Amino acid sequence: MVKLDLTKELKELYRPSAKKVKLVNVPRMGFLMIDGEGDPNTAPRFRQAVKALYSLSHRLRFMVKQGRAAVDYKVMPLEGLWQTRDGAPLDPQNRDAFQWTLMIMQPDFVTPELFLEAREAVAKKKVPLLEDVRLDRYAEGLSAQILHIGFNSGKATVVDTIYRFAQEQGYEPTGCHHEIYLGDHRRTASEKRKTVIRYKVRKKE
């Protein structure tokens, strides 16, 4: 049986440096995705969305491992695309205005047919929001990213660093604020949490 660790295969995207911002070219990849809005700390939909994504991802991993592909791969980390209803910068003091898309990257051999089969199987366990989860492709293209280690309160400084880097390189950030949560943040001390912070960038006109 083939064993696959996609975080190693895609090391540039999922194991970046914490010392400096780097430009990366993010290809189009498959994701399980679900949308929502509101404060992630209090909105029930946020917790339910996380559970739905992981339940489906683990089921798909089992099905691929037992199926024709016979590949044993690690479930990829949770990711989040963040923005506000009016396009204003994210304000931690107004989390109710947050709009988010949670997602988990899937290997190419997870097909739409396999996804539907997995969703039907997980539905028997009465997991909420399964019908809201979709299998879709997402591509960011050229992006600037860095690894943040520590408290959420330090993310604003990291974002400023990314913006300064982009400006110095002749780019400007565009699109959503993208976070990738490495490890299990629920079981990791706040000061040790690892989060990839990424912004799609474009050349200044």
Side-chain angles (χ1 to χ4, degrees):
M1 178 174 293
V2 177
K3 291 187 177 292
L4 180 62
D5 185 344
L6 288 168
T7 60
K8 290 182 179 179
E9 298 285 331
L10 300 169
K11 181 178 180 180
E12 187 180 39
L13 304 181
Y14 287 93
R15 296 187 177 186
S17 169
K19 295 180 180 180
K20 61 181 181 179
V21 181
K22 286 190 64 177
L23 289 173
V24 292
N25 194 14
V26 186
R28 183 176 297 274
M29 298 184 290
F31 289 88
L32 294 182
M33 309 177 79
I34 183 170
D35 303 318
E37 61 181 21
D39 187 341
N41 294 323
T42 58
R45 182 177 177 86
F46 188 87
R47 296 189 298 274
Q48 293 171 348
V50 172
K51 183 176 181 179
L53 287 176
Y54 273 117
S55 297
L56 279 170
S57 293
H58 283 289
R59 180 64 188 181
L60 284 164
R61 173 182 177 267
F62 173 81
M63 292 170 67
V64 170
K65 183 178 178 180
Q66 299 297 320
R68 289 184 181 179
V71 176
D72 184 10
Y73 64 91
K74 292 184 178 180
V75 171
M76 294 294 281
L78 180 71
E79 307 186 32
L81 303 176
W82 299 86
Q83 58 186 338
T84 57
R85 297 186 187 99
D86 58 3
L90 296 175
D91 180 1
Q93 303 303 318
N94 186 23
R95 294 174 182 269
D96 289 338
F98 286 5
Q99 290 187 321
W100 41 263
T101 297
L102 296 181
M103 55 194 197
I104 296 179
M105 186 269 201
Q106 304 296 311
D108 287 339
F109 34 75
V110 171
T111 63
E113 293 76 18
L114 199 64
F115 162 67
L116 293 175
E117 185 180 343
R119 192 167 66 177
E120 184 177 346
V122 175
K124 297 176 182 178
K125 300 180 180 180
K126 308 297 182 182
V127 176
L129 303 184
L130 289 180
E131 291 299 321
D132 292 347
V133 179
R134 63 189 183 276
L135 177 65
D136 206 349
R137 309 286 289 181
Y138 180 71
E140 282 173 298
L142 188 64
S143 303
Q145 69 175 26
I146 192 172
L147 178 65
H148 168 63
I149 303 175
F151 297 95
N152 287 337
S153 58
K155 290 179 179 177
T157 300
V158 175
V159 171
D160 288 342
T161 300
I162 292 176
Y163 269 70
R164 285 198 305 272
F165 169 86
Q167 185 175 26
E168 290 168 359
Q169 299 296 318
Y171 295 95
E172 59 183 357
T174 182
C176 300
H177 172 93
H178 187 171
E179 296 188 347
I180 304 173
Y181 310 104
L182 304 182
D184 189 343
H185 279 206
R186 297 168 298 179
R187 300 178 181 178
T188 305
S190 296
E191 68 273 15
K192 296 182 179 180
R193 290 176 179 172
K194 295 181 178 181
T195 307
V196 180
I197 299 181
R198 179 188 297 162
Y199 278 88
K200 180 183 175 71
V201 297
R202 64 187 175 193
K203 274 289 187 182
K204 289 183 180 179
E205 297 181 356

